[in-house]
């Protein structure tokens, strides 16, 4: 009987001793961690996509808590809702970032951009880019081997078999920028989603001279500069034979779209156009009536 | 027992079907496109503009630095324009396009066939002149020859190796030069020896060219310090480091140049070009190109002006076969498929290979079974399967530690892989990325 008793007493004693040592150690080596980090991490989407520029949501939460001004920091996956919640927890002002979406700036479908040779190396855009100029005459356009699709963690991209080009599923895209980094030709860009998802952009990145670009692809930007002239808001610039629409200045008037001789400017999610000349006539009649 | 290099190597079918065909002069092309980057290093700067009249052999683009080369007009005529053309690398490169009118050569060039044995110039003058004449390594790497002839301070060249290996299957241009221009070659070797201040030169030739070995051995017997070394047939013996290992038994350390072990290697094509440049004052404006392949009716070796479209060469060799699959610039191991037939012949084009459809296409890629055949085949002692995985997973620092930069891109790994994995494709990608990282670090 006494053996049992001694055993129990020893174990209890050891346990108590260990508890005291552990308690003292935890007091001595205590690391203070802001409890708000956990709270913020809780609201973040836990996608760990890196779209914010930090390695994972925990690191982003730490950065948010640490920063005095969080208006520059943004979680593209969570968007304004999540950032508002974070701002509430931290008592700081959240920045107003317009939601963005990935845009593939190439329209070199098999039809528009004839294949002049056939690639059969490893099926990866970066490998092809390290080997040669591509299957078409355009040395700027999409290779069509799907590195961007592979990079996407949100099922927001797929390769269109018919056109040979990647397509962004707008509803799934969180603008994390993984595809932008994956593309060896910098074709994909994050642009403002725009009101009602309406956007206008130059659907081409070819910097060749007009004739060369046109020969390689029917719908290439030839750098003619017509859109630059017609834009009333100075939102379009022309550099290296390539027009670029700055989404912060563009007011979506769509004048450039009609002006482009190669149809390389694309409008997305707009309602169908009214008959333009008729509308113009009506407008002039109206002003005439008013003047009378 | 014949000499060869120690590590790795493979034995592809030789198929030297054009070996018996003597060098023919190809008629002048109507229009040439002369890229301004036909060498490793800085692009040459064009000196002519649209509408200028040029003579054959006139300087049309000046060297853009020490590691760069002059470019001379291969034809006489009128400059049509300067524009970008796709060259054998598959990328668009700036080029000078000239419309041929007649064939009027620069007066300073000696066009006679007379053998000039006396070397009038001093060592320094020879180096300067090879630079002026735009001579580059004609085995394919196109490294400017005058740079190779100027060893860095503190390093001394002990032995000159002449590369007559031609280990690529199908190619025979160097073989024909050794047979038909053997006397000129001997003078060329003397010139190189004088420039490098060495008294020993060894010509390495693979044992599948007994006629070249015989002829050059007879000639070398009369010369002091020149010898011929027959070598066992093994690919890639024509690689600079492999040839040094095979002949001298010395191994170039990782990341170093052959001069580190006191050797300098020049191709026989380059040696012949040096002879013509020094003794005949003739710049590098033409070269011997093999046109070959199973479907080609008349496999040939042509003497072609630089800038000639490859389509014209194929036409002269009997045209494209019906079952054509790929046109390759260079040999089947290291060559690159051409994107069209307008690609111009450049200083580094040693051959045009036309492969039929069934031979040209890659088999479907399967999984790596870790059989380690690629490791046994690698002549640089690397682990290709590992380098491929590292490149795939973007583990650049690990790839650098595994000496990815030592890869000579010979393609032995891809050739030997039973799962047809695109090993070299990924290793090339890795080399590009790691090279960039190293450059940014310095």
């Amino acid at each position: 009987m006494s053996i049992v008793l001694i055993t129990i007493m020893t174990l209890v004693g050891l346990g108590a001793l260990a508890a005291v040592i552990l308690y003292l150690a935890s007091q001595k080596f205590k690391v203070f961690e802001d409890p708000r980090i956990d709270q913020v991490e809780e609201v973040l989407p836990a996608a760990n996509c890196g779209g914010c520029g930090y390695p994972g949501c925990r690191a982003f939460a730490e950065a948010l808590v640490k920063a005095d001004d969080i208006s520059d920091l943004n979680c593209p996956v969570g968007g304004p809702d999540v950032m508002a919640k974070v701002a509430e927890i931290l008592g700081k002002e959240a920045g107003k970032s317009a939601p963005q979406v990935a845009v593939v700036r190439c329209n070199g479908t098999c039809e528009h951009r004839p294949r002049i040779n056939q690639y059969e190396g490893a099926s990866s855009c970066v490998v092809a880019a390290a080997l040669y100029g591509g299957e078409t005459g355009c040395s700027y356009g999409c290779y069509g081997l799907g590195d961007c699709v592979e990079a996407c963690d949100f099922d927001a991209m797929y390769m269109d078999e018919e056109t040979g080009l990647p397509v962004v599923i707008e509803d799934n895209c969180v603008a994390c920028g993984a595809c932008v980094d994956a593309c060896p030709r910098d074709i994909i860009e994050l642009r403002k989603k725009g009101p009602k998802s309406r956007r206008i952009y130059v659907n081409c990145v070819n910097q060749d001279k007009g004739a060369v670009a046109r020969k390689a692809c029917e719908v290439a930007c030839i750098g003619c500069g017509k859109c630059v002239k017609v834009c009333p808001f100075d939102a379009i610039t022309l550099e290296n034979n390539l027009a670029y629409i700055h989404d912060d200045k563009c007011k979506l008037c769509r004048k450039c779209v009609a002006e482009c001789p190669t149809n390389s400017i694309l409008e997305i999610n707009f309602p169908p156009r009214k008959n333009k000349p008729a509308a113009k006539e009506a407008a002039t009649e109206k002003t005439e009536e008013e003047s009378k | 027992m014949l000499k060869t290099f120690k590590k790795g190597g493979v034995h592809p079918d030789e198929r030297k079907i054009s070996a018996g065909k003597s060098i023919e002069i190809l008629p002048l092309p109507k229009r040439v496109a002369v890229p301004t980057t036909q060498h490793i290093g800085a692009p040459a700067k064009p000196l002519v503009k649209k509408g200028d009249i040029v003579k054959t052999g006139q300087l049309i683009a000046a060297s853009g630095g020490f590691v760069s080369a002059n470019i001379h007009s291969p034809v006489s005529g009128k400059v049509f324009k300067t524009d970008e053309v796709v060259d054998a690398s598959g990328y668009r490169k700036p080029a000078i396009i000239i419309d041929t009118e007649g064939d009027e050569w620069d007066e300073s060039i000696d066009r006679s066939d007379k053998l000039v044995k006396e070397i009038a110039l001093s060592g320094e003058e020879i180096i300067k002149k090879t630079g002026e004449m735009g001579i580059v390594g004609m085995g394919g790497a196109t490294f400017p020859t005058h740079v190779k002839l100027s060893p860095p301070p503190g390093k001394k060249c002990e032995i000159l190796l002449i590369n007559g290996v031609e280990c690529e299957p199908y190619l025979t241009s160097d073989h024909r030069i050794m047979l038909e221009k053997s006397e000129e070659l001997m003078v060329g070797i003397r010139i190189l020896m004088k420039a490098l201040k060495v008294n020993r030169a060894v010509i390495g030739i693979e044992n599948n060219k007994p006629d070249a070995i015989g002829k050059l051995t007879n000639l070398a017997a009369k010369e002091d310090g020149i010898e011929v070394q027959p070598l066992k047939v093994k690919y890639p013996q024509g690689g600079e480091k492999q040839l040094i290992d095979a002949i001298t038994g010395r191994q170039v350390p990782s990341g170093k140049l052959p001069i580190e072990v006191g050797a300098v290697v020049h191709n026989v094509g380059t040696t012949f070009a040096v002879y013509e440049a020094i003794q005949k004052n003739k710049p590098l404006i033409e070269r011997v190109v093999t046109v070959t392949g199973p479907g080609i009716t008349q496999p040939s070796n042509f003497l072609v002006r630089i800038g000639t479209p490859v389509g014209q060469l194929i036409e002269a060799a009997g045209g494209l076969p019906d079952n054509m699959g790929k046109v390759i610039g260079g040999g089947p191991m290291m060559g690159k498929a051409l994107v069209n037939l307008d690609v111009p012949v450049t200083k580094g084009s040693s051959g045009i290979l036309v492969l039929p459809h069934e031979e040209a296409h890659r088999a479907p890629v399967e999984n790596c079974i870790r059989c380690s055949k690629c490791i046994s085949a690698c002549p640089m002692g690397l682990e290709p399967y590992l380098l491929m995985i590292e490149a795939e997973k973007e583990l650049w620092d690990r790839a650098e530690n595994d000496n990815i930069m030592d890869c000579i891109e010979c393609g032995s790994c891809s050739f030997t892989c039973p799962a047809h994995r695109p090993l070299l494709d990924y290793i090339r990608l890795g080399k590009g990325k790691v090279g960039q990282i190293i450059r940014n670090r310095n």
Side-chain angles (χ1 to χ4, degrees):
Chain A
M1 194 60 204
S2 66
I3 291 175
V4 176
L5 210 62
I6 289 165
T7 316
I8 290 170
M9 293 288 280
T10 317
L11 281 176
V12 168
L14 273 175
L17 189 68
V20 171
I21 292 171
L22 282 173
Y23 174 74
L24 289 175
S26 79
Q27 288 300 312
K28 173 88 180 158
F29 301 115
K30 191 169 185 175
V31 178
F32 174 76
E33 195 171 50
D34 199 323
R36 292 178 303 172
I37 295 178
D38 283 334
Q39 287 171 7
V40 172
E41 200 190 352
E42 196 79 358
V43 259
L44 291 177
N48 289 319
C49 65
C52 54
Y54 291 89
C57 295
R58 177 82 189 175
F60 185 50
E62 281 169 20
L64 283 166
V65 172
K66 217 172 162 188
D68 294 325
D69 179 16
I70 61 165
S71 55
D72 293 343
L73 301 172
N74 180 37
C75 171
V77 181
D81 299 346
V82 164
M83 289 314 289
K85 277 187 205 159
V86 171
E88 203 184 306
I89 295 168
L90 298 175
K92 296 171 188 172
E93 192 77 16
K96 283 196 181 65
S97 64
Q100 288 185 312
V101 69
V103 168
V104 182
R105 291 177 297 166
C106 179
N107 196 15
T109 59
C110 306
E111 200 179 304
H112 292 149
R113 191 172 56 145
R115 267 45 180 170
I116 54 171
N117 63 75
Q118 198 184 350
Y119 173 74
E120 19 171 63
S123 181
S124 152
C125 305
V126 279
V127 173
L131 285 174
Y132 82 131
E135 285 182 318
T136 69
C138 172
S139 39
Y140 294 89
C142 180
Y143 276 105
L145 297 167
D147 277 14
C148 47
V149 176
E150 198 119 307
C152 184
D153 281 339
F154 298 92
D155 291 336
M157 289 188 107
Y158 66 92
M159 291 303 292
D160 189 329
E161 299 274 313
E162 222 162 87
T163 61
L165 295 172
V167 180
V168 178
I169 305 168
E170 240 174 78
D171 295 339
N172 289 3
C173 177
V174 299
C176 67
C179 51
V180 177
D181 293 340
C183 181
R185 286 197 154 169
D186 297 328
I187 290 164
I188 307 177
E189 177 195 37
L190 297 179
R191 287 181 78 88
K192 258 190 208 165
K193 210 163 188 174
K196 295 183 190 162
S197 291
R198 289 174 182 174
R199 294 184 294 281
I200 297 179
Y201 59 90
V202 179
N203 201 12
C204 181
V205 291
N206 192 316
Q207 298 180 6
D208 279 328
K209 279 184 212 149
V212 179
R214 186 64 195 264
K215 201 180 161 196
C217 179
E218 279 175 23
V219 290
C221 171
I222 53 172
C224 65
K226 279 187 174 171
C227 51
V228 180
K229 280 185 204 133
V230 82
C231 180
F233 308 105
D234 293 334
I236 310 182
T237 52
L238 189 70
E239 216 176 307
N240 300 327
N241 306 312
L242 178 67
Y244 181 79
I245 302 177
H246 297 267
D247 55 4
D248 49 341
K249 286 187 188 158
C250 177
K251 300 270 197 289
L252 306 177
C253 72
R254 295 198 276 169
K255 276 187 179 154
C256 51
V257 181
E259 198 66 31
C260 181
T262 57
N263 297 323
S264 68
I265 301 180
L266 201 67
E267 50 175 56
I268 285 189
N269 298 329
F270 281 92
R273 255 165 215 268
K274 289 171 207 155
N275 196 346
K276 225 184 174 184
K280 221 178 191 177
E281 270 175 36
T284 44
E285 273 171 23
K286 215 177 183 183
T287 44
E288 274 169 17
E289 271 174 27
E290 275 169 8
S291 63
K292 275 174 191 171
Chain B
M1 183 69 184
L2 286 169
K3 284 186 173 180
T4 187
F5 59 98
K6 292 180 208 75
K7 267 183 226 158
V10 289
H11 298 276
D13 236 3
E14 288 164 24
R15 304 197 189 172
K16 306 265 190 188
I17 47 178
S18 56
K21 302 286 173 65
S22 51
I23 300 171
E24 292 168 55
I25 297 171
L26 196 78
L28 284 184
K30 284 200 181 68
R31 176 178 281 179
V32 292
V34 189
T36 54
T37 38
Q38 298 184 40
H39 45 263
I40 287 183
K45 295 186 195 83
L47 298 174
V48 290
K49 54 183 190 307
K50 188 178 172 175
D52 283 1
I53 304 289
V54 292
K55 283 182 185 172
T56 308
Q58 184 187 330
L59 185 67
I60 53 169
S63 154
F66 179 59
V67 184
S68 182
N70 281 342
I71 289 169
H72 301 77
S73 177
V75 293
S76 65
K78 200 183 212 171
V79 177
F80 176 59
K81 61 178 175 179
T82 51
D83 199 3
E84 288 187 336
V85 298
V86 178
D87 75 350
S89 71
Y91 296 100
R92 300 171 65 83
K93 298 269 176 70
I96 300 165
I97 299 167
I98 304 169
D99 280 330
T100 313
E101 289 166 11
D103 192 22
E104 193 189 331
W105 286 57
D106 199 283
E107 293 81 21
S108 59
I109 302 169
D110 173 9
R111 293 183 67 190
S112 69
D113 281 341
K114 206 171 121 268
L115 183 72
V116 187
K117 277 197 158 175
E118 204 64 41
I119 305 165
L121 302 182
S122 72
E124 281 72 34
E125 285 167 337
I126 291 170
I127 296 172
K128 194 160 159 269
K129 192 145 189 191
T130 46
E132 280 168 11
M133 292 294 161
I135 312 289
V136 299
M138 289 165 79
T142 63
F143 194 78
T145 301
H146 65 278
V147 182
K148 264 186 168 180
L149 290 177
S150 333
K155 301 277 187 307
K156 200 185 162 340
C157 178
E158 294 161 18
I159 182 168
L160 168 68
L161 303 180
I162 300 298
N163 188 345
V165 173
E166 201 157 55
C167 56
E168 277 267 8
Y170 285 109
L171 300 189
T172 56
S173 55
D174 286 353
H175 186 182
R176 292 314 304 181
I177 289 178
M178 286 189 284
L179 281 180
E180 294 177 35
K181 310 281 181 193
S182 9
E183 303 219 15
E184 288 89 341
L185 214 52
M186 285 297 158
V187 183
I189 295 171
R190 282 252 159 269
I191 297 170
L192 291 174
M193 285 166 77
K194 190 169 179 185
L196 285 164
K197 300 184 185 70
V198 292
N199 45 28
R200 187 168 170 232
V202 181
I203 311 170
I205 307 173
E206 277 190 351
N207 211 22
N208 56 1
K209 298 180 259 297
D211 44 355
I213 294 173
K215 189 158 187 192
L216 291 182
T217 312
N218 285 342
L219 281 174
K222 292 178 218 151
E223 307 270 346
D224 202 23
I226 303 180
E227 55 196 274
V228 175
Q229 175 69 59
L231 299 164
K232 195 175 154 189
V233 179
K234 188 160 92 172
Y235 180 87
Q237 194 140 242
E240 206 169 47
K241 290 169 184 173
Q242 281 64 40
L243 187 64
I244 294 170
D245 183 17
I247 294 181
T248 67
R250 299 176 197 178
Q251 298 200 337
V252 182
S254 168
K256 295 282 198 283
L257 293 171
I259 193 74
E260 200 72 20
V261 294
V264 169
V265 184
H266 285 288
N267 180 269
V268 289
T270 320
T271 314
F272 178 61
V274 167
Y275 162 79
E276 289 201 310
I278 305 297
Q279 306 295 66
K280 303 274 188 178
N281 212 20
K282 184 177 156 195
L284 183 48
I285 54 168
E286 54 188 5
R287 68 158 297 145
V288 181
V289 180
T290 305
V291 183
T292 180
I296 292 283
T297 46
Q298 304 146 28
S300 319
N301 301 292
F302 291 122
L303 184 65
V304 202
R305 301 285 171 91
I306 303 293
T308 309
V310 300
Q312 196 178 333
L313 275 72
I314 296 171
E315 218 45 62
L320 287 175
D322 296 336
N323 62 344
M324 200 272 296
K326 242 182 217 175
V327 178
I328 294 169
M333 297 296 285
M334 284 191 75
K336 214 169 176 181
L338 302 178
V339 296
N340 60 38
L341 293 179
D342 297 329
V343 169
V345 167
T346 57
K347 292 176 180 177
S349 321
S350 46
I352 309 291
L353 172 62
V354 181
L355 286 182
H357 193 271
E358 57 275 15
E359 273 184 52
H361 287 269
R362 296 201 190 191
V365 175
E366 286 155 42
N367 291 333
C368 174
I369 54 165
R370 305 290 195 278
C371 67
S372 80
K373 273 193 170 176
C374 56
I375 301 175
S376 320
C378 181
M380 297 304 290
L382 305 175
E383 291 168 276
Y385 84 98
L386 187 65
L387 296 176
M388 174 179 169
I389 294 170
E390 285 164 352
E392 243 178 337
K393 308 278 179 222
E394 306 191 357
L395 303 168
W396 307 130
D397 45 346
R398 278 183 59 182
E400 191 188 345
N401 285 339
D402 290 330
N403 298 316
I404 194 167
M405 295 309 283
D406 280 357
C407 170
I408 59 167
E409 304 183 21
C410 67
S412 297
C413 50
S414 299
F415 173 79
T416 193
C417 180
H420 318 292
R421 294 182 69 72
L423 292 155
L424 185 55
D425 292 2
Y426 274 96
I427 294 175
R428 274 206 189 115
L429 168 72
K431 274 183 79 177
K433 295 275 180 192
V434 172
Q436 216 171 357
I437 292 168
I438 293 174
R439 275 195 300 278
N440 290 345
R441 198 185 295 150
N442 297 334

